[in-house]
């Protein structure tokens, strides 16, 4: 009889009574097998949920020792059997196996996940297999739920998902060093009379790079559709080896016409609270697992974000506070410096004990497109700072005045011919507008309690590392 495959998630759900005492089929990977001459217990996991289901095999009745012997940790099997209430501890139901098909063995001598308790560093070296651990199963399910919640939030709020390009012809954003995209023969690069690389011979007839942000194109969308967001991969070619930087990371960037900096902050705060609350509701099992294994304060910290109003203060006030804190920082603070994560974390973790939004940064340390304040020294920037993470969001109200914006562009040595299209939005029907960028993996770090950003993306790209 062909049975319908059930997800282990559905078998372990509270309302599984329609499946109880029925013949069912499950397929998955063996976590462990133990037992004795008479009975074998197989813990089977299919990735649909953190918990494995117990498969009970009556060894004598089964009469296939050869097959049973091959069912070791990591093997892939299909099981037919009856779902019954369990008398054992630790599970409410189990499967009494009647038939087992072995799809693939995993030689116990060679399978790297044969034993439990590997370090996260070791698991990074086997990124092709680490999704099969409980830890990475939990992380990638949360990553999915978080992505879904992002779309849900914006869709419900009347935002349109705009796909901004990955390959870009402009490097005006200035957010970081870029990866070049080229099909030129690197062994025989065409040169012009001045001896420079002749990009007119390249695939696009000009210099192109991987995008560092979808913002500039996002603004074009917002100045037509009013409220949009992008959510896609972005690339930064900095040689940063920190636990908070990736060379390829995902960024969520909403951009809103008719929003000022205060509307922008309100949106960022509501957005983050929605996402964390969504996970608390939909990923409780995985969060509990991560709290137990890695971070005893995780759930408290998540609730702190949902329950508290974020503290809002200006960069200038924050500098004064840091200067008067009596705390010894590795990087000294004074007005005009870019804040380091030690400063950000002091404000969040020591001073306010909740998320903080800093605004009105010195113009010199922020991007050309941010709206200049009346004081002429600061811009309408906002950074959202989180416990354990530091900066999780960077955003601003944008300069909508054509004259001021083109002045800033000249000042910063950006070639107008590279951004003529961006400037035209200020020439034709310009509007006040704002937006921000949320580092998706920074939020993943926060919600999973993991300490290293390489452990919250399936296949991390960092300097000197792109194996999988
Ligand atoms: O502050 P950033 O550089 O802002 C922008 O790119 C703007 N264009 C966003 C906008 O206004 N639309 O980057 C935004 C966020 C940071 O706050 C941080 O969370 C994350 O992106 N981020 C990184 N995450 C992982 N690895 C990196 N190398 C990151 N660089 C920035
Ligand atoms: Mg930033």
């Amino acid at each position: 009889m062909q049975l319908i495959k059930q997800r282990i998630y559905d078998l372990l759900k509270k309302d599984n009574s329609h499946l109880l005492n029925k013949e069912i089929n499950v397929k998955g990977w063996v976590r462990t097998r133990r037992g004795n001459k008479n009975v074998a217990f197989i813990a089977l996991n299919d990735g649909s949920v953190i918990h494995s289901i117990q498969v009970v095999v009556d060894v004598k009745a089964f009469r296939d020792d050869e097959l049973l012997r091959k069912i070791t940790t990591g093997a892939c099997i299909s099981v037919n059997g009856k779902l019954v209430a369990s008398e054992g501890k630790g599970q409410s139901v189990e499967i009494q196996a009647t038939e087992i098909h072995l799809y693939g063995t995993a030689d116990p001598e060679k399978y790297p996940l044969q034993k439990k308790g590997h370090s996260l560093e070791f698991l990074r070296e086997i990124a092709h297999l680490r999704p099969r651990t409980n830890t990475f199963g939990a992380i990638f399910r949360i990553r999915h739920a978080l992505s879904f919640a992002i779309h849900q939030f914006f869709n419900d709020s009347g935002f349109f998902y705009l796909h901004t390009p990955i390959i870009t012809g402009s490097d005006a954003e200035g957010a970081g060093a870029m990866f070049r995209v080229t099909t030129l023969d690197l062994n025989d690069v065409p040169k012009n009379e001045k001896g420079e690389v002749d990009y007119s011979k390249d695939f696009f007839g000009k210099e192109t790079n991987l995008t560092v942000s979808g913002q500039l194109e996002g603004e074009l969308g917002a100045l037509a559709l009013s409220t949009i967001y992008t959510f896609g991969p972005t690339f930064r070619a900095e040689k940063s080896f920190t636990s908070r930087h990736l060379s390829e990371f995902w960024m969520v960037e909403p951009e809103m016409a008719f929003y000022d900096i205060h509307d922008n902050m309100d949106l960022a705060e509501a957005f983050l609270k929605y996402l964390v609350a969504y996970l608390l509701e939909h990923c409780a099992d995985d969060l509990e697992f991560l709290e137990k294994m890695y971070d005893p304060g995780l759930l408290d910290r998540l609730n702190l974000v949902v329950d508290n109003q974020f503290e809002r203060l200006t960069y200038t006030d924050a500098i004064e506070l840091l200067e008067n804190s009596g705390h010894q920082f590795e990087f000294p603070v004074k007005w005009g410096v870019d804040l380091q994560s030690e400063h950000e974390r002091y404000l969040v973790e020591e001073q306010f004990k909740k998320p903080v939004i800093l605004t009105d940064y010195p113009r010199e340390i922020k991007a050309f497109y941010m709206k200049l304040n009346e004081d002429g020294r600061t811009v309408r920037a906002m950074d959202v700072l989180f416990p354990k993470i530091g900066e999780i969001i960077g955003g601003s109200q944008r300069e909508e005045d054509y004259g001021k914006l083109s002045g800033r562009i000249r000042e910063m040595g950006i070639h107008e011919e590279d951004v003529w299209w961006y400037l035209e939005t200020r020439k034709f029907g310009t509007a006040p507008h704002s937006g921000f960028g949320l580092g998706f993996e920074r939020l993943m770090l926060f919600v999973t309690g993991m300490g290293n950003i390489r452990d919250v993306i399936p296949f991390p790209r960092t300097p000197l590392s792109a194996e999988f």
Side-chain angles (χ1 to χ4, degrees), residues 173 175-176 212-216 230 234-236 238 240 244-255 264 366-367 369-370 382-384 389-396 398 434-443 453:
E173 163 94 4
V212 293
S213 155
Q215 179 196 321
L216 300 191
T230 77
T234 50
F235 306 86
R236 300 199 182 173
E238 273 117 28
S240 326
R244 302 180 313 128
H245 287 87
L246 289 165
S247 313
E248 174 181 293
F249 65 99
W250 285 64
M251 195 164 17
V252 187
E253 295 179 275
E255 193 69 34
N264 204 19
K366 288 292 183 187
Y369 49 70
M370 295 190 181
M382 61 168 224
D383 277 9
V384 181
I389 309 295
E391 179 190 340
I392 198 159
I393 279 182
S396 65
R398 319 306 190 189
S434 298
F436 62 80
L438 165 69
F440 183 67
E441 285 77 16
R442 296 263 174 101
L443 182 59
I453 201 161

Side-chain angles (χ1 to χ4, degrees), residues 16-75:
N16 60 1
S17 52
H18 61 293
L19 294 166
L20 211 57
N21 300 314
K22 299 267 161 58
E23 284 285 324
I24 49 119
N25 170 264
V26 282
K27 297 177 181 9
W29 293 267
V30 174
R31 284 285 202 263
T32 57
R33 194 205 68 203
R34 57 195 179 81
N36 52 41
K37 285 204 302 288
N38 303 317
V39 59
F41 300 103
I42 301 166
L44 193 68
N45 189 282
D46 65 359
S48 63
V49 58
I50 187 89
H51 311 290
S52 297
I53 195 157
Q54 172 155 286
V55 177
V56 185
V57 188
D58 181 341
V59 176
K60 294 230 174 78
F62 201 69
R63 277 180 296 172
D64 193 345
D65 292 350
E66 181 60 21
L67 176 75
L68 272 185
R69 224 174 306 125
K70 289 186 189 152
I71 298 178
T72 55
T73 298

Side-chain angles (χ1 to χ4, degrees), residues 164-415:
T164 52
I166 307 272
I167 299 174
T168 166
S170 85
D171 70 351
E173 163 94 4
M178 302 184 97
F179 290 101
R180 174 150 299 146
V181 174
T182 180
T183 54
L184 291 178
D185 178 355
L186 296 185
N187 291 311
D188 185 17
V189 177
K191 300 272 174 73
N192 62 19
E193 316 83 68
K194 288 192 232 149
E196 297 159 339
V197 178
D198 183 1
Y199 287 105
S200 70
K201 303 261 162 44
D202 205 345
F203 190 88
F204 294 105
K206 62 181 298 195
E207 249 187 283
T208 50
N209 293 289
L210 294 180
T211 187
V212 293
S213 155
Q215 179 196 321
L216 300 191
E217 293 89 351
E219 285 186 51
L220 312 181
L223 293 171
L225 301 168
S226 291
T227 46
I228 64 92
Y229 69 107
T230 77
F231 180 16
T234 50
F235 306 86
R236 300 199 182 173
E238 273 117 28
K239 291 247 156 67
S240 326
F241 290 91
T242 80
S243 57
R244 302 180 313 128
H245 287 87
L246 289 165
S247 313
E248 174 181 293
F249 65 99
W250 285 64
M251 195 164 17
V252 187
E253 295 179 275
E255 193 69 34
M256 300 75 66
F258 319 116
Y259 273 49
D260 68 12
I261 187 75
H262 302 286
D263 303 323
N264 204 19
M265 285 191 273
D266 291 345
L267 180 75
E269 183 167 342
F271 178 49
L272 289 166
K273 285 179 166 160
Y274 175 92
L275 296 178
V276 174
Y278 183 94
L279 294 182
L280 284 168
E281 185 183 341
H282 292 91
C283 299
D285 282 4
D286 289 325
L287 292 174
E288 266 167 41
F289 171 82
L290 294 171
E291 164 156 284
K292 192 173 87 200
M293 300 298 289
Y294 296 100
D295 183 355
L298 178 60
L299 292 173
D300 281 349
R301 223 176 301 113
L302 298 186
N303 282 306
L304 181 102
V305 167
V306 177
D307 296 339
N308 283 286
Q309 231 183 325
F310 296 4
E311 187 71 31
R312 299 182 185 188
L313 74 161
T314 64
Y315 166 93
T316 303
D317 288 345
I319 291 290
E320 201 181 305
L321 223 151
L322 291 167
E323 280 177 329
N324 298 332
S325 69
H327 189 89
Q328 277 296 317
F329 293 106
E330 189 188 338
F331 297 91
V333 272
K334 65 171 200 293
W335 202 94
V337 301
D338 212 353
L339 293 182
Q340 303 291 326
S341 79
E342 56 167 342
H343 309 131
E344 298 174 341
R345 293 188 58 180
Y346 179 85
L347 291 169
V348 174
E349 291 164 28
E350 309 292 327
Q351 184 69 37
F352 296 109
K353 303 198 190 318
K354 57 181 180 172
V356 172
I357 311 182
L358 290 188
T359 56
D360 305 296
Y361 284 71
R363 58 190 279 181
E364 281 73 24
I365 58 173
K366 288 292 183 187
F368 75 91
Y369 49 70
M370 295 190 181
K371 187 173 172 68
L372 198 60
N373 279 318
E374 288 71 33
D375 64 11
R377 318 201 289 161
T378 60
V379 287
R380 251 166 252 184
M382 61 168 224
D383 277 9
V384 181
L385 315 179
F386 257 35
K388 274 189 83 176
I389 309 295
E391 179 190 340
I392 198 159
I393 279 182
S396 65
Q397 185 168 341
R398 319 306 190 189
E399 183 58 75
E400 83 265 27
D401 182 272
Y402 178 84
K404 287 185 188 156
L405 184 62
S406 49
R408 283 287 278 159
I409 283 173
R410 268 194 303 279
E411 224 173 82
M412 305 204 33
I414 298 166
H415 301 295

